Amino acid sequence: MAQWTSAMGATQLARLLNSQQERPAGPGARRPPAYRALADGVRLLVLEGRVPVAARLPAERELALALSVSRTTVAAAYETLRTEGFLESRRGAGSWTAVPAGNPLPARGLEPLPPEALGSVIDLGTAALPAPEPWLTRAVQGALEELPPYAHTHGDYPAGLPALRSMIAERYTARGIPTMPEQIMVTTGAMGAIDAICHLFGGRGERIAVESPSYANILQLMREAGARLVPVAMAEGLTGWDLDRWRQVLREAAPRIAYVVADFHNPTGALADEDQRRRLVEAARSAGTVLVVDETMSELYLEPGPEMPRRVCGFDPAGSTVITVGSASKAFWAGMRIGWVRAAPDVIRSLVAARAYADLGTPVLEQLAVNWLFSTGGWEQAVQLRRNQARDNRDALIAAVRRELPTWEFEVPQGGLTLWVRTGGLSGSRIAEAGERVGVRVPSGPRFGVDGAFEGYVRLPFTVAGAVAEEAAARLAAAARLVETGTPLTGDSPRTFVA
């Protein structure tokens, strides 16, 4: 019986392999044989999760034709992959991808590094900072004081605690966007909010328009929900959206929903201006598309200057076109898994009804902690602390990267937690793999794209500073040298680094 669970066509695999662009080899660089380069390319796709484990690969003749190489080259590449444990074969059943013993399964996203690995690996995979103390401790203490009355209830609040729903509604109203508590549902983080929205509006096979690039974990969530992703390229630099492209996609593809990050976009850091926000809402309304706006980065502006643009939902106050998602996880702490949805009351009722078959509700104690922060002014002070820390980290990381990797290109965002970096013509996937060898963990560009896009990029978060930022840049430079010279990605484990 065959042990493969999915199939990869020759044309599809060739397209993914051809997306792995690298700069031409320089003097002294060792270009690997064609079969070795092909084997390395397939192995990288498996390790990136872009080719699933247990996926049946095309026959040698089919792939050779799609790649315009000899069948001998493909046969040698497949044999190399079998020897390394990345391919299994059986006569009559074909060949399918595998992961050798001792290697982790591809994660599709990039989960936080286990605590036991922090001494030897610098983690640039997760855009999250430590908690802004003493505000976490104070919030939990305040929540415990408010807990007793709730402890005498069943503790099940599918729409969220009434006090927190009212507080969130008041915060929108204070920004000039009148909001009722009935327009708010509290969720388990922004991911929980978007998962609920996708299941309500974006059933299997539905089109969802997404920015290109976009937040990796959301893209994967949508893929696993069975959505058909329609990428819409961002404008050049940090200028936000390309409205002509958006209007074209909304008109021609007619997506059921569209997912966007207007404020300090993840991963590029772009900030959409008010005119772009107004015009995108108008285009979505005309197309009948529900616009899902992720505001998780909206309070992380890092530079003094003019006021932030009006929230996107301010151009659709009734919530008939725009559904807004917010969260405490980026602005406060990733361990505070509290998010929320702002939408029309009928949408909120539908989301709450559907929740009975999902997670039932969000932890009461954490809701009370966020409500304490909002009601006491602790939120503003904690977020200001977070801004200061992110700004210092950003500046330290940028200085280190410019010194160690002068050919890498990027624009400095005015807010958010991420830097989107063009890697001087090198493959971001190969840099990520080499980084694991030299002790720095970094996500490659294709994680943030659709169908292998952005191979020439990596994302760097503002999570390290000082000596750690300098060491991280030095290790990235070492990884880049391994890729540029064609050095086999094997060797000793990274040395321990203590900040």
Side-chain angles (χ1 to χ4, degrees):
M1 180 178 178
Q3 297 186 19
W4 50 271
T5 57
S6 62
M8 176 70 60
T11 301
Q12 182 183 11
L13 181 56
R15 185 174 66 250
L16 291 173
L17 288 165
N18 288 332
S19 74
Q20 297 176 331
Q21 299 297 320
E22 294 185 82
R23 90 167 80 175
R30 292 177 292 172
R31 185 179 296 277
Y35 81 89
R36 178 73 259 183
L38 176 55
D40 287 347
V42 173
R43 177 170 50 83
L44 274 174
L45 291 173
V46 172
L47 292 174
E48 279 280 309
R50 288 187 282 154
V51 170
V53 175
R56 186 178 185 271
L57 295 187
E60 294 171 3
R61 188 185 304 277
E62 295 173 0
L63 185 58
L65 184 63
L67 291 172
S68 299
V69 300
S70 71
R71 183 177 176 182
T72 302
T73 296
V74 178
Y78 277 16
E79 180 58 32
T80 299
L81 290 168
R82 278 189 286 269
T83 300
E84 295 176 349
F86 284 92
L87 197 68
E88 296 181 8
S89 302
R90 180 175 298 169
R91 184 177 297 276
S95 300
W96 56 93
T97 57
V99 173
N103 282 57
L105 285 172
R108 302 286 182 92
L110 201 63
E111 287 75 18
L113 195 68
E116 61 270 18
L118 290 175
S120 60
V121 179
I122 299 174
D123 187 8
L124 297 181
T126 305
L129 292 164
E133 289 288 29
W135 297 105
L136 175 61
T137 299
R138 292 181 183 177
V140 173
Q141 290 171 341
L144 287 171
E145 293 176 2
E146 299 292 332
L147 182 62
Y150 295 94
H152 293 291
T153 73
H154 48 63
D156 185 3
Y157 297 89
L161 294 184
L164 181 55
R165 296 177 73 196
S166 295
M167 182 61 66
I168 294 170
E170 289 176 15
R171 290 173 64 82
Y172 279 106
T173 301
R175 297 186 184 105
I177 307 167
T179 303
M180 304 178 295
E182 292 79 10
Q183 291 179 261
I184 301 295
M185 180 177 84
V186 180
T187 62
T188 306
M191 290 288 289
I194 294 170
D195 182 55
I197 294 166
C198 286
H199 280 88
L200 181 63
F201 288 97
R204 186 164 293 276
E206 289 280 4
R207 293 185 181 92
I208 300 180
V210 295
E211 297 152 324
S212 183
S214 187
Y215 179 37
N217 288 339
I218 293 297
L219 293 180
Q220 190 57 34
L221 182 156
M222 292 174 175
R223 290 186 188 103
E224 296 192 357
R228 297 164 60 189
L229 300 183
V230 182
V232 185
M234 297 288 289
E236 289 296 321
L238 299 176
T239 55
W241 301 314
D242 184 326
L243 266 297
D244 289 338
R245 291 179 178 176
W246 268 106
R247 278 191 289 264
Q248 180 182 3
V249 167
L250 294 176
R251 181 177 62 251
E252 296 178 358
R256 184 69 182 91
I257 63 177
Y259 169 76
V260 297
V261 183
D263 304 295
F264 309 122
H265 174 258
N266 185 353
T268 69
L271 177 66
D273 63 32
E274 281 204 10
D275 186 56
Q276 289 176 317
R277 297 169 191 235
R278 180 186 296 106
R279 288 192 287 156
L280 185 57
V281 171
E282 291 170 353
R285 184 182 292 119
S286 297
T289 297
V290 175
L291 192 60
V292 180
V293 180
D294 187 335
E295 290 187 341
T296 55
M297 296 284 192
S298 63
E299 297 195 56
L300 291 176
Y301 49 87
L302 307 182
E303 301 290 353
E307 291 186 3
M308 287 282 291
R310 193 178 190 195
R311 301 291 176 93
V312 178
C313 58
F315 302 101
D316 179 50
S320 59
T321 298
V322 177
I323 297 178
T324 302
V325 172
S327 173
S329 299
K330 293 296 186 184
F332 186 75
W333 183 46
M336 187 67 77
R337 305 304 304 163
I338 298 295
W340 54 85
V341 178
R342 182 197 180 276
D346 63 318
V347 173
I348 295 297
R349 286 193 293 270
S350 296
L351 289 170
V352 171
R355 194 172 194 178
Y357 308 102
D359 65 354
L360 295 177
T362 301
V364 170
L365 187 63
E366 291 184 28
Q367 292 186 72
L368 289 173
V370 171
N371 193 59
W372 183 92
L373 288 165
F374 284 157
S375 61
T376 62
W379 177 267
E380 283 71 24
Q381 295 184 65
V383 171
Q384 185 57 54
L385 183 65
R386 170 68 77 237
R387 292 188 194 110
N388 295 341
Q389 185 180 14
R391 185 190 307 112
D392 291 345
N393 288 1
R394 180 198 64 182
D395 295 347
L397 183 64
I398 286 171
V401 170
R402 282 176 171 163
R403 182 177 61 253
E404 297 285 345
L405 294 150
T407 63
W408 286 20
E409 303 172 64
F410 52 84
E411 291 194 46
V412 181
Q414 294 185 325
L417 290 172
T418 58
L419 190 69
W420 187 235
V421 181
R422 190 190 300 269
T423 54
L426 297 177
S427 162
S429 296
R430 294 176 188 275
I431 288 172
E433 187 185 19
E436 296 279 355
R437 305 288 183 177
V438 300
V440 60
R441 196 166 185 250
V442 59
S444 63
R447 293 186 181 276
F448 305 90
V450 177
D451 292 333
F454 307 108
E455 185 62 58
Y457 290 82
V458 294
R459 189 197 72 172
L460 305 180
F462 310 145
T463 53
V464 294
V468 184
E470 293 176 4
E471 178 68 12
R475 294 186 185 188
L476 283 172
R481 286 192 295 272
L482 290 177
V483 173
E484 191 169 18
T485 60
T487 304
L489 299 179
T490 58
D492 296 333
S493 299
R495 66 186 185 279
T496 300
F497 177 76
V498 180

